[in-house]
Amino acid sequence: MEELKEPDASASANSQRLCKLIRDEILRNQGKLGFNRFMELALYEPGLGYYSAGAYKFGEPGDFVTAPEISPLFSRCVARQCCQVLGILGQGDILEVGAGSGAMACDILIELDQLGVLPEHYFILDISADLRKRQHTLIQQRIPHLMNHIHWLDQLPEEGFKGVVLANEVLDAMPVHRVQISKDKEQEFFIKTINDSFEWCLDELSDEQLLQRIIIIRQKLGQDINNIGYSTEINLAAESWIRSIADIMSRGLVLIIDYGFPGREYYHPERRDGTLMCHYHHQAHDNPLVLIGLQDITSHIDFTAIAEAGHNTGLAVSGYTNQSHFLLSCGLMELANITLDASGELSLAKIKQAQEIKKLTLPHEMGELFKVLALTRGIDAPMLGFVLKDDRGRL
Ligand SMILES: C[S@@+](CC[C@H](N)C(=O)[O-])C[C@H]1O[C@@H](n2cnc3c(N)ncnc32)[C@H](O)[C@@H]1O
C-alpha cells in the first residue's frame, strides 16, 4: 500500500484529542472497548469524530466519492422512483437519512419540481451537526426557491409517516461489531490501548444477539470453517435502524442503496477477514486503528440481514437489484439524452456525462457492487427501479 498522506497540524491535534477521549473510555471500561463503540466514537463523537468535525469528506477534495457527487443523474433517477410512490400515495413526504453534502436532496427536489410532484416535506435526518450546516448552505445556494420544503430533524418523525425514506451509503457507516469464528469458538474483537496506541484483542461476546447471528453465519460457511478463524462484521445497528423505520412507516417505501451482498456471498469462506475498509484522501486500506477521526470507516452490507429485519417488522421486500439495473429501470438513458450536436459531434458536456454514467453503471465501477433494496408497506405496485431486473431470489 502507498504510504498514507500525513495529516496537517490542526488535523493531528484534533485526532489526538479524540484518541485521548477514547483511551479514557477504555480505562473506564476495564481496559477494552467493543469495536462498535470505538467506530462510533471515531466517526461520530461530536466535534471530533470523522463525520462530526469540520473536514471536507465528499468528492475530489475529500476522501471518497459517492454516487450523488458523481452525477445529478443518480439523484434524478432516485427522484423518479420517489415520484412513482408519491403518485400512488397521492400525498406524502420524503425523509433522507444521512444526507452528506446535501447534493442528493437538491437534485431530487429539482427533478420532482419539474415533474410537478413535490413532496409535502423533504425531511433530512443526519447524525452530524457539521454536515447539517453544510447541507443547509448548499441547499440555500442551489435551490433557495425550494428551501421551504426542507426540514432538518433531530430524531425520526412520529408514527404515521407516509412517503419515501432514502438512505444512500448510510448503513455502511453504522458502527459494526467484529467477531472471530473458529470451529469450536466464537469471540468478539475489542480495542485496548498500549503506550498511547490502539490494538485489537479478543474476548467473549458482549451481546447475546451476536451469538444468534453467528449461528446463521456458521450455516452459511458450512464445512469451510477452520481452526485459524474467520473474522467478520455484524451490523446490529443497521438492523435496529430498519426496525425503527418500520415502526414509524404507515405507508410507503424505504429505499436503501449501499455496497454489499446477499448473506450467502457476504459470509463466504474466501472473505475471511471481513469487509472493513477505511478511506483517507482517496486511498483505501483496512486499518481503522490509525488516523482516528480523520478517515472514514465502513463495512459492506449484508442485504439478507437487512431484508429479514424489514420483513420481521412487517415491511414487504419489494425489490433487490444492483445500482446499474436500478438506474436503467428508472430511465437513466432517457434522462441522459445523449445526442450529437449540430456538427455531428458529442459536446464536451455530453462526453463528461457519458463518463459519469460509466462510473455509476459499469460492473467494475459502482454498477455491480452497489445494490438497491426496496422495502414497502401498503403498496402493491411493482417498484419502478426493479422492472428490468429483480434479484430478490438471491437474498
Ligand atoms: C458515507 S456518508 C453518505 C452521504 C450521502 N448519503 C451521500 O451519498 O453522499 C454517510 C452519512 O450518513 C450519516 N449518518 C450515519 N449514521 C447515521 C444515522 N444513524 N442517522 C443519521 N445519519 C447518519 C453521516 O453523518 C453521513 O452524512
Side-chain angles (χ1 to χ4, degrees):
M1 190 186 69
E2 234 180 280
E3 220 164 274
L4 295 166
K5 193 179 147 195
E6 277 290 313
D8 63 27
S10 122
S12 287
N14 191 67
S15 176
Q16 276 163 24
R17 275 199 295 278
L18 180 56
C19 287
K20 166 145 189 0
L21 186 139
I22 298 175
R23 275 198 301 274
D24 289 349
E25 189 164 326
I26 290 178
L27 293 177
R28 286 198 303 276
N29 282 278
Q30 289 86 45
K32 66 181 172 54
L33 214 51
F35 177 70
N36 61 319
R37 176 65 182 153
F38 174 87
M39 180 167 168
E40 186 181 352
L41 293 168
L43 295 184
Y44 303 112
E45 175 60 23
L48 294 174
Y50 176 73
Y51 282 104
S52 311
Y56 200 80
K57 295 140 192 86
F58 307 100
E60 287 307 320
D63 299 299
F64 55 86
V65 185
T66 59
E69 308 290 329
I70 290 175
S71 167
L73 285 171
F74 173 83
S75 307
R76 292 179 66 194
C77 288
V78 174
R80 298 214 153 207
Q81 176 60 86
C82 295
C83 173
Q84 181 200 17
V85 173
L86 294 175
I88 292 169
L89 298 178
Q91 230 182 9
D93 298 323
I94 294 180
L95 164 63
E96 184 183 349
V97 181
S101 71
M104 183 158 104
C106 292
D107 292 316
I108 286 181
L109 281 168
I110 292 170
E111 184 71 13
L112 290 178
D113 192 23
Q114 273 170 15
L115 293 167
V117 280
L118 281 170
E120 275 183 76
H121 307 98
Y122 192 106
F123 296 118
I124 292 180
L125 175 62
D126 203 301
I127 200 170
S128 158
D130 174 62
L131 286 176
R132 286 200 297 267
K133 263 195 247 149
R134 287 172 188 260
Q135 292 152 12
H136 196 281
T137 308
L138 184 82
I139 292 169
Q140 179 68 55
Q141 268 167 8
R142 283 195 57 200
I143 47 167
H145 59 296
L146 296 174
M147 200 67 195
N148 58 340
H149 287 269
I150 305 197
H151 305 267
W152 278 265
L153 303 178
D154 292 325
Q155 56 188 40
L156 285 178
E158 299 283 298
E159 272 175 39
F161 179 87
K162 197 170 90 168
V164 183
V165 177
L166 300 171
N168 185 59
E169 285 206 46
V170 180
L171 273 56
D172 69 272
M174 291 189 177
V176 289
H177 289 83
R178 271 197 88 207
V179 294
Q180 189 179 69
I181 311 169
S182 58
K183 241 193 181 95
D184 50 9
K185 195 157 70 180
E186 43 273 320
Q187 289 181 297
E188 182 174 341
F189 281 99
F190 293 84
I191 306 299
K192 61 181 180 176
T193 169
I194 294 181
N195 299 334
D196 281 359
S197 66
F198 295 109
E199 287 189 15
W200 296 101
C201 61
L202 282 162
D203 209 336
E204 285 175 16
L205 303 180
S206 64
D207 187 325
E208 168 68 18
Q209 291 181 80
L210 295 174
L211 186 58
Q212 292 163 13
R213 299 303 180 286
I214 290 172
I215 292 170
I216 300 169
I217 296 170
R218 282 190 186 281
Q219 285 161 4
K220 290 184 168 129
L221 290 170
Q223 294 304 315
D224 287 308
I225 200 144
N226 57 29
N227 287 323
I228 305 163
Y230 180 89
S231 301
T232 193
E233 315 82 37
I234 298 178
N235 197 337
L236 296 179
E239 293 176 36
S240 134
W241 180 82
I242 289 289
R243 287 192 288 275
S244 51
I245 295 290
D247 285 348
I248 60 147
M249 168 79 78
S250 71
R251 230 184 133 204
L253 162 71
V254 188
L255 198 69
I256 294 156
I257 310 173
D258 227 309
Y259 39 92
F261 324 94
R264 234 169 312 132
E265 288 169 43
Y266 192 111
Y267 297 111
H268 190 276
E270 277 173 17
R271 218 183 300 288
R272 38 172 297 203
D273 286 322
T275 69
L276 215 56
M277 286 302 288
C278 304
H279 298 272
Y280 178 69
H281 290 279
H282 298 278
Q283 270 182 280
H285 68 97
D286 62 3
N287 187 2
L289 308 188
V290 296
L291 293 166
I292 290 154
L294 306 179
Q295 64 177 358
D296 192 19
I297 309 174
T298 74
S299 72
H300 288 37
I301 295 304
D302 167 4
F303 276 96
T304 305
I306 302 300
E308 272 171 8
H311 174 77
N312 293 340
T313 40
L315 297 176
V317 181
S318 299
Y320 173 71
T321 194
N322 64 29
Q323 177 168 298
S324 178
H325 283 111
F326 174 80
L327 296 177
L328 292 168
S329 296
C330 289
L332 175 68
M333 295 322 278
E334 296 87 80
L335 286 171
N337 185 24
I338 297 194
T339 48
L340 303 181
D341 64 19
S343 56
E345 305 275 330
L346 269 181
S347 66
L348 273 181
K350 286 290 172 194
I351 291 172
K352 181 173 168 284
Q353 197 182 52
Q355 283 162 349
E356 292 165 358
I357 293 175
K358 280 190 188 169
K359 275 201 187 135
L360 293 174
T361 59
L362 284 183
H364 64 277
E365 299 269 2
M366 297 180 91
E368 177 55 41
L369 180 58
F370 279 73
K371 308 293 191 316
V372 187
L373 176 70
L375 301 169
T376 57
R377 194 192 299 280
I379 296 186
D380 293 331
M383 291 292 92
L384 175 70
F386 305 85
V387 291
L388 288 179
K389 197 161 194 278
D390 190 344
D391 274 333
R392 267 177 287 178
R394 285 177 58 204
L395 284 171

